[in-house]
Amino acid sequence: MAHDVRLPSSLKLFADPTRLRIMALLERAELAVGELSRALGLAQSRVSNHLRLLREAGLLSERHAGSSTFLRLSTPRNGHALSGRLWEAVRTDLDSLPEHAADLARMERVLAERRQREGDFFDQVAGEWDEIGVHFASGQARQRVAAHAFAGRHVVADLGCGTGYFARALLGLATRVIAVDRSRGMLDEAARRLGDAPGGAEVELRVGELDALPLEDGEADAVVAGMVLHHLADLRRPVAEMLRVLRPGGNAVVLELEPHRHEWMHAQLGDHHLGLAPQDVVRAFQSNGFEDVVLESVDDQYRPRRADADGPPVDLPLYLVRGTRPRA
Ligand SMILES: C[S@@+](CC[C@H](N)C(=O)[O-])C[C@H]1O[C@@H](n2cnc3c(N)ncnc32)[C@H](O)[C@@H]1O
């Protein structure tokens, strides 16, 4: 019988309580190394060694954003199947680790601080956001989002509305527009611009998070999320929330950027991801239960201008994903 030489080292990997605590957190959220250390209440030097072992076992995926590296637990592939099987065997029992509840509570605080920092960014730039961040080559994208969201709908929610670029296009189509954003500064700007814009819809502004939307179940006939999902660490909860707040048969429409390499957009536009892979958005829609999920290319480009360098603005391709909440 063949001996698997990795068996002892793989078992050892799962025998360390601190590593199990790390795995339990990184399975739930994507965290930077410093955030993970704070969530565990351990020095970064102690955590780094465990991370090295997890990386070697194929259990860690890493994403670089500016000067930060974000970590998440990944399904091991290519020669790491044993780690994967062992992980599957232990993952359901991690709640029983004595430190788990305290780790989760600290992690929630760390994530809340991050949300606060990210919200502060938009509060600070709210007054000039249209100059900095609302640049599209043809405007087609906005028309397409509005057309898909409308299709005879009455109550449309604009999620991550910013200064109301998409909400403005809905004013002449919907009966009521609910504009949601976590930044009060952006909502103030949206209130000003929507107040001046033509269109008969009633407008309601609500402060809130995309992963806990301030809407009742089934309250919206359609939801749009334009240029906001790339600001979020994780798509699962926000997409589940979109489904929850839609009435059966209602539509969700997402406009997003194709993945790109313009690192400066982290700092200057507050972007968390540099674009999103269209298939990731499609998968998030499908796995949350949307039906008739469609990916469409858009005849428009996002055209931001870099503030710290001369030269022409960059042209970034856009796409649209839409889906319907099942009627049954
Ligand atoms: C790039 S702006 C886009 C604004 C607008 N949709 C547009 O296209 O002009 C992103 C907006 O999403 C908001 N935002 C980011 N993350 C959010 C979250 N987790 N929950 C609610 N709003 C969020 C920001 O405050 C900001 O106003």
Side-chain angles (χ1 to χ4, degrees):
M1 190 176 149
H3 293 287
D4 190 334
V5 288
R6 289 161 307 165
L7 183 58
S9 58
S10 292
L11 287 173
K12 221 166 131 194
L13 186 75
F14 289 93
D16 184 285
T18 306
R19 269 196 297 282
L20 291 175
R21 288 169 63 197
I22 292 175
M23 289 186 231
L25 294 187
L26 292 182
E27 202 214 3
R28 281 172 186 255
E30 188 195 56
L31 297 170
V33 185
E35 291 175 328
L36 175 64
S37 307
R38 279 187 289 133
L40 294 162
L42 295 174
Q44 208 160 307
S45 53
R46 263 190 81 189
V47 174
S48 298
N49 193 38
H50 294 295
L51 291 175
R52 181 178 57 76
L53 295 173
L54 292 175
R55 193 176 295 120
E56 286 168 8
L59 275 159
L60 212 57
S61 78
E62 293 172 82
R63 188 174 64 77
H64 302 282
S67 55
S68 306
T69 300
F70 288 93
L71 309 165
R72 169 144 230 158
L73 211 68
S74 63
T75 311
R77 287 190 194 115
N78 303 338
H80 294 297
L82 181 58
S83 312
R85 287 201 301 279
L86 290 170
W87 166 243
E88 288 303 328
V90 299
R91 68 191 302 177
T92 48
D93 287 310
L94 292 173
D95 293 1
S96 63
L97 287 172
E99 302 89 345
H100 188 59
D103 285 352
L104 278 186
R106 277 192 299 261
M107 184 176 83
E108 282 310 320
R109 282 201 294 278
V110 166
L111 290 175
E113 283 164 24
R114 188 205 290 171
R115 281 197 290 275
Q116 174 76 44
R117 274 197 311 278
E118 290 172 352
D120 286 351
F121 172 85
F122 282 105
D123 279 341
Q124 281 157 19
V125 300
E128 42 187 345
W129 177 252
D130 283 11
E131 297 302 314
I132 303 170
V134 186
H135 294 288
F136 294 87
S138 73
Q140 270 278 330
R142 173 160 73 163
Q143 287 172 21
R144 291 270 294 284
V145 167
H148 282 308
F150 175 58
R153 319 282 165 179
H154 304 299
V155 179
V156 181
D158 179 7
L159 310 178
C161 65
T163 54
Y165 177 72
F166 291 97
R168 284 201 289 283
L170 296 164
L171 290 182
L173 301 171
T175 318
R176 191 147 71 95
V177 174
I178 303 172
V180 177
D181 205 286
R182 66 151 54 137
S183 156
R184 283 173 199 276
M186 291 298 244
L187 283 175
D188 288 346
E189 291 298 324
R192 223 158 44 81
R193 287 169 168 71
L194 291 167
D196 293 342
E202 182 191 326
V203 177
E204 204 187 323
L205 303 162
R206 296 188 191 173
V207 185
E209 290 288 328
L210 262 88
D211 59 10
L213 285 172
L215 277 92
E216 301 291 324
D217 295 358
E219 185 175 354
D221 296 301
V223 297
V224 310
M227 308 294 284
V228 62
L229 295 190
H230 63 264
H231 288 280
L232 312 178
D234 198 299
L235 295 184
R236 281 174 296 188
R237 260 161 73 179
V239 174
E241 281 289 275
M242 288 185 202
L243 190 80
R244 178 185 68 75
V245 305
L246 278 173
R247 67 151 169 78
N251 285 346
V253 190
V254 161
L255 181 73
E256 261 311 324
L257 285 174
E258 295 273 1
H260 62 83
R261 292 173 181 274
H262 293 280
E263 292 276 342
W264 57 272
M265 288 173 66
H266 286 305
Q268 289 182 27
L269 299 175
D271 291 5
H272 186 90
H273 295 284
L274 297 177
L276 287 177
Q279 280 315 322
D280 288 350
V281 181
V282 167
R283 260 195 299 276
F285 265 56
Q286 288 169 334
S287 60
N288 274 290
F290 276 98
E291 63 182 23
D292 301 331
V293 179
V294 176
L295 166 66
E296 291 177 10
S297 58
V298 179
D299 189 13
D300 200 353
Q301 311 258 307
Y302 187 53
R303 194 172 268 179
R305 191 183 281 277
R306 191 173 171 160
D308 59 346
D310 290 335
V314 293
D315 262 336
L316 301 174
L318 294 158
Y319 63 89
L320 191 147
V321 173
R322 58 192 168 87
T324 303
R325 177 171 172 175
R327 285 182 186 280

